[in-house]
Amino acid sequence: MKTLTILGATGSIGQSTLDIVRRHPGRFRIEALVANANVEQLAADARATNARLAVTADETRYAELREALAGTDIEVAAGEDAVREAAAREVDMVMGAIVGVAGLAPTLAAVEAGNTVALANKECLVSAGELFMRRAREKGVNIIPVDSEHSAIFQCFEPHNAARVEKITLTASGGPFRTRSLSELHDVTPQEALKHPNWNMGAKVTIDSATLMNKGLELIEAYHLYPVRADQLEAIIHPQSIIHSLVAYEDGSVLAQLGMPDMRTPIACALAWPERIETPVERLDLARLGQLTFEAIDEKRFPAPALALSALKRAGNATTILNAANEVAVAAFLDRRIRFTDIVPLVERVLERAERAGVLGHLETLDDVWQADAFGRDMAREVMARSLQPQS
Ligand code: NDP
């Protein structure tokens, strides 16, 4: 029986993780479930899985959670310290699926405690990749990627042939606006952007998929997860989202991982690693699909992947700043305070300002991460206040 803690249990990844767990009774035991605002769901899942501990990050919801779990043996806790303590409890695996930079400290706490981490939260690598992976190496902790592209690379990357890898190619669906012109992109609404053609995900990830910033963040993640240089990483559009990523070797072989676009496959792959377990995911029928297509990314309409790679080449904290500025920009777009086409240029301007201000550098400690993160957020708000008009 594998012991499992889920950080971000009430989210899209958390719920899919619980779906896999429920389908394999006797295989997993839930130690802790951690969430934030959705106390009702958290309590229901804690009861259903007989978790030992349920934690809300929001201290004001402690009483509500306690009441919802009254009459059970489930421990209840609240607050950021309680979240980190839950992550550090000894288990076979921690699923790191809190959204945003809020996921960093708890997931790092899991690493510091020596727990194997199934990593969905991309901010751990994008905001703090240098620091996070150094601590994982020092602690001898395995980081098993959950993001579908990195899970694909994980399945295709031969560690003993790492020096023979020529290139890693991440595929991108292209999002809902792949075929729109630049002028059409200008008037995109949050409602339109939230409809992703292939994947069913949380709001922030869905907007990032529409701008292709998600792909940019994933290129940064791949850089930290695998021993390759930034110039060995690329992204291409593959609208069907069937090939999840590819690894090319110097003998001309290209290994790809294929499957229907359903996060339960990479989640099950991580949960069962190094074994495999059954999922109900629709099976791939290549004859029915007929064709798989590919296109280069048009950098004029979708500048985010190139911007992310350029940030990666600048410094360890440049991607922290990029991520922070992007979070502020996405939230502003969802609130209709900026346009869809403002999101990536806003992030680019923040990075330029960071360079001019001389704040780019390495990430030695979590404080370095918070400083760079705060700089990115403050600067994004300042740039918005000065130059961007609200969406009519
Ligand atoms: P959701 O927004 O659906 O869920 C986020 C989860 O994090 C919820 O459980 C939420 O709790 C919890 N949470 C938010 N803030 C805090 C906090 N301060 N402390 C503790 N828990 C918190 O996100 P997703 O599941 O879509 O994504 C999770 C992560 O996985 C993200 O980093 C995303 O980039 C990554 N990812 C997601 C993919 C997907 O298909 N969804 C694909 C690949 C990566 P509550 O609901 O109670 O507020």
Side-chain angles (χ1 to χ4, degrees):
M1 181 106 75
K2 211 170 189 171
T3 51
L4 180 66
T5 284
I6 306 177
L7 308 177
T10 51
S12 165
I13 296 286
Q15 291 292 298
S16 294
T17 302
L18 284 167
D19 181 68
I20 300 292
V21 167
R22 270 193 297 272
R23 287 168 192 278
H24 294 276
R27 191 165 183 123
F28 300 98
R29 182 183 65 70
I30 300 293
E31 177 67 28
L33 295 181
V34 174
N36 189 39
N38 193 349
V39 165
E40 199 182 324
Q41 183 73 49
L42 175 63
D45 289 332
R47 278 177 186 270
T49 58
N50 201 19
R52 297 227 165 129
L53 169 69
V55 182
T56 163
D58 182 350
E59 283 180 31
T60 67
R61 294 178 197 265
Y62 175 71
E64 193 186 335
L65 182 60
R66 231 180 61 163
E67 199 175 310
L69 289 172
T72 71
D73 293 337
I74 301 165
E75 283 176 66
V76 174
E80 288 179 12
D81 289 349
V83 170
R84 281 196 299 274
E85 279 163 27
R89 282 195 175 191
E90 189 182 333
V91 282
D92 295 314
M93 183 172 274
V94 171
M95 169 60 73
I98 292 174
V99 69
V101 80
L104 175 54
T107 319
L108 193 57
V111 168
E112 297 289 355
N115 288 327
T116 296
V117 172
L119 188 63
N121 172 282
K122 48 191 68 188
E123 289 78 7
C124 285
L125 296 175
V126 174
S127 296
E130 250 184 345
L131 175 65
F132 190 83
M133 292 309 288
R134 189 178 69 238
R135 291 306 292 153
R137 275 191 299 275
E138 287 167 359
K139 288 281 175 183
V141 161
N142 284 310
I143 307 294
I144 319 290
V146 168
D147 215 346
S148 60
E149 292 77 2
H150 304 95
S151 172
I153 300 165
F154 182 72
Q155 295 174 65
C156 298
F157 195 98
E158 298 171 357
H160 58 287
N161 281 320
R164 306 285 169 226
V165 169
E166 271 183 355
K167 198 165 67 178
I168 292 181
T169 305
L170 277 72
T171 53
S173 70
F177 310 128
R178 179 174 60 89
T179 56
R180 293 217 186 166
S181 68
L182 200 52
S183 57
E184 287 168 335
L185 288 177
H186 196 63
D187 296 322
V188 157
T189 64
Q191 286 69 27
E192 285 177 282
L194 285 171
K195 280 191 209 126
H196 191 280
N198 301 346
W199 296 96
N200 180 16
M201 308 180 288
K204 160 73 169 47
V205 190
T206 304
I207 302 301
D208 284 347
S209 297
T211 59
L212 294 204
M213 182 57 89
N214 189 46
K215 213 45 55 180
L217 302 182
E218 287 171 5
L219 287 164
I220 297 166
E221 283 183 274
Y223 174 83
H224 290 295
L225 286 167
Y226 301 98
V228 290
R229 300 181 311 272
D231 63 13
Q232 288 175 287
L233 294 168
E234 67 171 17
I236 54 162
I237 305 258
H238 168 45
Q240 298 84 9
S241 298
I242 295 297
I243 295 183
H244 300 304
S245 278
L246 313 94
V247 179
Y249 291 87
E250 65 181 17
D251 61 2
S253 286
V254 180
L255 302 190
Q257 186 262 349
L258 288 72
M260 294 304 282
D262 186 322
M263 283 305 294
R264 288 176 300 181
T265 294
I267 288 169
C269 183
L271 288 180
W273 180 82
E275 296 171 19
R276 288 192 185 263
I277 51 175
E278 197 271 338
T279 74
V281 168
E282 187 187 346
R283 297 318 193 231
L284 191 58
D285 183 342
L286 286 173
R288 189 163 58 83
L289 278 168
Q291 57 176 346
L292 301 179
T293 60
F294 306 90
E295 338 165 344
I297 292 173
D298 174 358
E299 286 187 16
K300 281 212 177 68
R301 287 183 300 137
F302 298 107
L307 179 65
L309 278 180
S310 84
L312 194 54
K313 288 173 189 165
R314 284 179 188 174
N317 70 357
T319 60
T320 321
I321 294 170
L322 172 142
N323 181 62
N326 183 56
E327 280 196 21
V328 171
V330 169
F333 168 68
L334 288 171
D335 282 353
R336 292 177 166 266
R337 283 183 281 124
I338 64 170
R339 290 181 180 278
F340 182 77
T341 43
D342 291 332
I343 298 174
V344 181
L346 172 61
V347 176
E348 187 169 15
R349 282 164 70 183
V350 170
L351 277 172
E352 281 162 10
R353 287 188 176 212
E355 192 146 36
R356 280 208 302 276
V359 299
L360 296 182
H362 286 291
L363 294 171
E364 303 294 345
T365 65
L366 263 187
D367 274 349
D368 296 337
V369 177
W370 303 138
Q371 269 178 28
D373 185 80
F375 179 93
R377 285 171 203 278
D378 291 347
M379 197 51 79
R381 288 189 197 103
E382 196 180 310
V383 172
M384 260 188 317
R386 280 191 186 185
S387 54
L388 295 172
Q389 299 304 313
Q391 192 176 346
S392 54

